[in-house]
Amino acid sequence: GIWGETQLAMLLQEALAPSQYETNCAVTPGGSERVEFAIRLPGQEEDHPVYLPIDAKFPLEDYERLQSAQDSADKAQLEMALTALERAISREAERIALKYIKPPYTTDFAILYLPVEGLYAEALRLPGLAERLQRVHRVSLAGPTTLLALLNSLQMGFRTLAIQQRSAEVWRLLSQVKGDFAAFGDILEKTQTRLRQASESIDLANRRTRAITRRLSAVESLEAGAPPPDELQVQQSYLDEDVEG
């Protein structure tokens, strides 16, 4: 049993992230029943996952008796060993169903893990055993290869869910950026308007500066004893400034 638990832990570590399963998990809030391992599946609420119980069982003595009967070709012993193995697996499945299947906190089925491919193959060869366990106890049998395939399928589902959640986050971010960009466009337009107004004001100031400079030059000419500018020239200077303005 300990070896089966160790092997099951290695499979879970290989296939899933640590946050996707729990060890020694309480199947109900505050409950005393704890399953060896449980996969965390998304529930209706984000903080309340649904657990898929997985319990490893290895009826070693029954399996060894079966192998001995097969090696000795003793038909009677073989029938007895098969009956004992079927009884042991059925008993473990019933116990798992009673202790660990607790909807809505868990799924409505659990997995009984058989850690040896040969043992799993013998269990499948027992007529109607796997179907009966699923129908009566809602427990599915799984060997190493079968469980690894199941875990890989679940991992793909987790990745798809994560992509969907991140896609929603990206969409929200893009919506926010779209709103921010629209506001930035308004600010940029206002800034361009103010820059254009400032440029026009600077041009007007330059024109006024040139007009004042010419008039000051006329005053300097008077101070130097030069003849005063013709009135027509002064008026033409004003007209030029008005045209430039």
Side-chain angles (χ1 to χ4, degrees):
I2 295 177
W3 182 76
E5 293 178 14
T6 302
Q7 189 188 61
L8 177 55
M10 293 175 62
L11 285 176
L12 291 169
Q13 292 173 4
E14 178 182 349
L16 301 179
S19 61
Q20 294 172 339
Y21 69 94
E22 291 189 13
T23 304
N24 194 27
C25 174
V27 293
T28 59
S32 60
E33 297 294 350
R34 292 182 174 272
V35 67
E36 295 170 355
F37 298 96
I39 299 176
R40 293 170 57 96
L41 300 176
Q44 294 183 350
E45 299 180 8
E46 185 175 355
D47 297 333
H48 296 82
V50 176
Y51 293 104
L52 169 57
I54 305 178
D55 201 9
K57 298 299 176 185
F58 189 11
L60 180 60
E61 295 181 0
D62 295 314
Y63 183 54
E64 288 178 343
R65 281 196 293 267
L66 176 60
Q67 289 183 312
S68 298
Q70 290 173 338
D71 293 339
S72 63
D74 188 330
K75 186 176 181 180
Q77 291 294 328
L78 180 60
E79 292 295 334
M80 291 177 59
L82 287 172
T83 301
L85 179 62
E86 180 176 3
R87 187 182 304 112
I89 294 176
S90 298
R91 183 171 57 250
E92 294 297 343
E94 181 180 7
R95 188 183 67 84
I96 290 173
L98 292 175
K99 294 178 66 175
Y100 304 139
I101 300 179
K102 303 292 183 182
Y105 304 107
T106 70
T107 56
D108 61 353
F109 70 98
I111 295 176
L112 195 163
Y113 175 64
L114 301 175
V116 178
E117 291 289 358
L119 174 59
Y120 176 63
E122 293 295 344
L124 292 182
R125 277 198 290 266
L126 291 171
L129 176 62
E131 292 79 4
R132 186 171 67 254
L133 295 182
Q134 291 178 347
R135 184 181 67 257
V136 177
H137 302 302
R138 293 171 295 171
V139 172
S140 297
L141 297 178
T145 302
T146 307
L147 182 63
L148 184 58
L150 173 64
L151 295 177
N152 288 333
S153 298
L154 289 174
Q155 181 61 271
M156 291 300 296
F158 289 141
R159 290 176 182 175
T160 301
L161 179 63
I163 290 173
Q164 291 175 347
Q165 291 175 343
R166 291 177 182 177
S167 297
E169 293 175 0
V170 170
W171 180 254
R172 287 195 298 269
L173 179 60
L174 288 176
S175 299
Q176 294 174 357
V177 171
K178 181 180 179 181
D180 294 340
F181 189 77
F184 175 75
D186 294 338
I187 295 173
L188 183 60
E189 183 178 357
K190 293 178 181 179
T191 302
Q192 289 176 338
T193 301
R194 292 174 181 174
L195 288 174
R196 185 169 56 252
Q197 293 173 348
S199 178
E200 293 174 353
S201 298
I202 292 173
D203 291 340
L204 179 60
N206 287 331
R207 289 194 297 268
R208 295 303 182 188
T209 299
R210 288 195 298 270
I212 293 172
T213 300
R214 284 195 292 269
R215 293 169 182 172
L216 290 176
S217 297
V219 173
E220 291 176 354
S221 298
L222 290 175
E223 291 177 352
D230 186 68
E231 182 65 24
L232 183 59
Q233 293 179 353
V234 175
Q235 292 180 358
Q236 183 62 41
S237 175
Y238 291 159
L239 290 174
D240 291 341
E241 294 303 326
D242 291 339
V243 170
E244 291 180 2

